[in-house]
Amino acid sequence: MYPIQQVIKLLGVDTPVVTDHLVEHLLIDSRSAFSPAHSLFFAITTSRRNGHDYIATLYKKGVRSFVITQQVDIASFPFANFIKVDDAVAALQKLAAAHRAQFSIPVIGITGSNGKTIVKEWLFQLLQPDFKIVRSPKSFNSQLGVPLSVWELKSHHDLAIFEAGISQPGEMERLEKIIQPTIGILTNIGDAHREGFLSMEQKEQEKRKLFSHATMPPPLTLLAVDTAVGYSIIKANGALLPTGGSIEIPFTDAASIQNAIRCWELLLLLKIPQSTIAERMRGLTSVDMRLSLKRGVHHCQLINDSYSADLSSLEIALSFLKQQAGSLKRTAILSDFMQTGQNPREFYARIQALLEQVPLARLITIGPAMGTAFSATGNLWQLEQYPDTTSFLAQAQLRSFRDEIILIKGARNFGLEQVVTLLEEKVHETRLEIDLQAVVHNYNQYKQQLKKNTKVMGMVKAFAYGSGATEIAHVLQFSGIDYFGVAYADEGVELRKAGITTPILVMNTEPAAFETLLNYQLEPTLFSVALLDAFDQFLQQQGITNYPVHLEIETGMNRLGLTEQDWSLVVRRLASTSSFLIQSVFSHLAASEDQAADAYTYKQFELFESFVQLLNTTVDTRFIRHIVNSAGAIRHPAMELDMVRVGIGLYGIEKSPTLNLIPAITLRSTIAQIKTIPSGSGVSYNRKTIVDRPTRLATVRVGYADGYPRSLGNRKGQVLVQEKLAPLLGSICMDMFMIDVTDIPRAEVGDEVILFGKELSVEQVADWASTIPYEILTGISQRVKRVYFQD
């Protein structure tokens, strides 16, 4: 954090400080003001938007410092700091460059036509065990994205990885001054943004300006690539690998092979042992970006990538399609790809090759170029072709889409979002939005606070706190999480069927599920002597030894767990059987979030440690110890041991002075009707609310059947309409409730209503309902549409 006075000095501006505060967050989007008291907003003006128009909204949210380029009515904002500059973007870049100069750690700068984000994310996967890494979020590689990325550098980081993308000459010099890379990676030089340069040579020269003060890894010489086995075996040698070596990656496409080699070269430069590199390369996972997964008509799933069209993002989208497909048929709806700068025949042949690898059951093309290129491919898949989006919307038979996973992808100007709307399941307009990027961000916040070798278990029980277990598990698996925890075996089965390969701990083991555990490689928790004996006998009957299990110890939660009087017997049982491989020993803290109960928490921890010491005298194998949850990981760092269990904290719910958590879940609906009722009128069943003034009454499309707490009725709860709070009037009905919008005169039918999210915390809603956020989140019913998005 920087004092605002220091920020003003770094920007070279002479202006008085009205409100003194620390600056931690730089804002360019008014919607992302999640920590307004420590934010600095840059009012950037473009041809489409004027940042100065959002100053009033941000001021109401609590933002107190603004970088401006236009005159502002300062009297309307008496506690605001206004920093007047000539160019807001240049000021943002100047501040980020000054921040970068405070660090002397290795900084990797990545540029190229394609593959920047994939290489960055793969390097994060490969190097995370060795470094505390800060990296560009999403694909933040532009003149705005780079300074925001660099600003994320913190004192605990010992490695940084930043992308840099340009579209015309002169841009890279500015990005180089911000990133100041010490190591450079050039992924490739291709046709993306080719129109901004006179030649490919000029384009390469401009991109290489990022490395004017950086070291480039010595290149490897590719000796052989074998993809016949379903994955790639890559053999190479070079200056840092003189005797040669090989790696295996779980991909066979040329782009992935090239990206893996770039990563290999970098790891060798950082002196990572070749044996370690080879081991980690085998675990690389796909990089999912800018995709949203929605429910479609007739049991379909929709992957919405309707705003980008290039080969790299197509590969990512097709990989996601395969990853999520399960038993569903695979369909792609693709529009023409625009501004490729390549020979159309060759370009679309490459697309066809990618599609054949899926493989697809059905291909729908939209646009003349796709129509021509794929007109003769009806023997490969069921083929439908339309000249434009309007024709598809008019002619497509909705009933023909059934039990499919459908990728919708194309150039923005084709308006394929209309196709998404057509195929989307027509449930009522209430939706639960899950920001997968925020989930990953929150996971990394916890990860960065922990010791280097501490593992993380992601708790995805109860449908991942109502947000959708498989979708959350996929994004966390990609991020390198060590374990998943579920309540029951059937939850673990769903994850395995969805392609989750990360180890899964089952908290509530049932004897009826023993066979299921084995069939799906799920790891049971043994919480009683009877259960331990029963599973031991089952494994012996199956002839299985060293099956991974977890021991739950009762230390004071008084729920499940091996009690202290059973410990000696348990240790003897474990010493006399070869059925088990103890993966972990754990317990639950009863009140880790409660300072008043800290003495009890310490007592639980001491009791847990005493069992661990007892077990260590009996078993020779090393096992994982874990006792803290999301709150415990924040409040009791001395208890993090070998692993922490993070659940609700992944969704940004836990309050923390040390973690920058982002709320990841938002519940939204819409106004169905507005009417004005006279003073003295009753509202809803039993007329428990009688209005005392003429009232504009809005009916919202949510009720207790959607899981919205009935206790919030009769003015106990509030929602947001047009960024203003509106109280609930009357009892909440099964499918709707009413709110008072008298003081929101511009409220209209169809307006969005936010029930909780970043702007109105679920903690506040839970407090109004006299419950806890867990109950609010897990109570949202399955008829509420889940929408997942990731930039």
Side-chain angles (χ1 to χ4, degrees), residues 374-563:
F374 288 88
S375 60
T377 63
N379 61 317
L380 299 175
W381 37 59
Q382 180 183 339
L383 180 65
E384 300 174 35
Q385 298 193 291
Y386 301 88
D388 50 44
T389 305
T390 301
S391 299
F392 173 85
L393 296 173
Q395 300 171 28
Q397 298 295 315
L398 203 58
R399 63 180 179 272
S400 70
F401 293 92
R402 188 176 301 275
D403 299 317
E404 301 170 58
I405 184 166
I406 306 168
L407 170 64
I408 303 165
K409 182 172 181 60
R412 286 183 182 273
N413 59 336
F414 275 84
L416 294 191
E417 64 273 7
Q418 301 172 79
V419 176
V420 177
T421 300
L422 175 70
L423 296 179
E424 198 170 358
E425 185 179 25
K426 298 302 185 288
V427 295
H428 65 88
E429 296 182 31
T430 301
R431 65 191 186 277
L432 192 71
E433 293 183 349
I434 298 93
D435 182 348
L436 297 178
Q437 192 70 38
V439 172
V440 173
H441 167 89
N442 295 334
Y443 162 73
N444 286 328
Q445 285 289 298
Y446 278 96
K447 188 71 176 174
Q448 291 167 10
Q449 177 173 282
L450 302 174
K451 294 192 291 288
K452 186 174 182 179
N453 295 320
T454 302
K455 299 178 183 295
V456 176
M457 176 181 289
M459 302 306 298
V460 291
K461 58 183 181 177
F463 198 54
Y465 297 84
S467 66
T470 58
E471 294 80 7
I472 297 298
H474 276 300
V475 74
L476 290 175
Q477 178 171 267
F478 154 70
S479 299
I481 203 161
D482 302 286
Y483 253 96
F484 288 117
V486 298
Y488 295 97
D490 55 358
E491 295 177 327
V493 170
E494 291 303 312
L495 295 182
R496 288 287 187 245
K497 287 182 176 179
I500 298 302
T501 57
T502 300
I504 299 173
L505 178 151
V506 178
M507 290 282 186
N508 196 344
T509 307
E510 301 167 295
F514 284 171
E515 189 169 345
T516 300
L517 295 172
L518 269 61
N519 290 340
Y520 290 93
Q521 297 179 296
L522 306 176
E523 301 177 9
T525 295
L526 305 180
F527 51 77
S528 71
V529 175
L531 184 62
L532 186 151
D533 288 344
F535 195 53
D536 184 19
Q537 182 179 2
F538 173 78
L539 291 176
Q540 290 185 36
Q541 292 172 350
Q542 304 296 317
I544 294 175
T545 60
N546 292 318
Y547 193 84
V549 299
H550 303 258
L551 303 181
E552 181 175 3
I553 310 306
E554 176 59 76
T555 60
M557 180 77 170
N558 292 320
R559 189 173 60 181
L560 295 176
L562 296 161
T563 59

Side-chain angles (χ1 to χ4, degrees), residues 109 111 176 184-186 207-214 216:
T111 192
E176 193 279 335
I185 296 178
L186 180 65
K207 286 185 177 291
R208 287 189 177 277
K209 290 179 180 178
L210 178 63
F211 313 130
S212 56
H213 300 93
M216 303 284 286

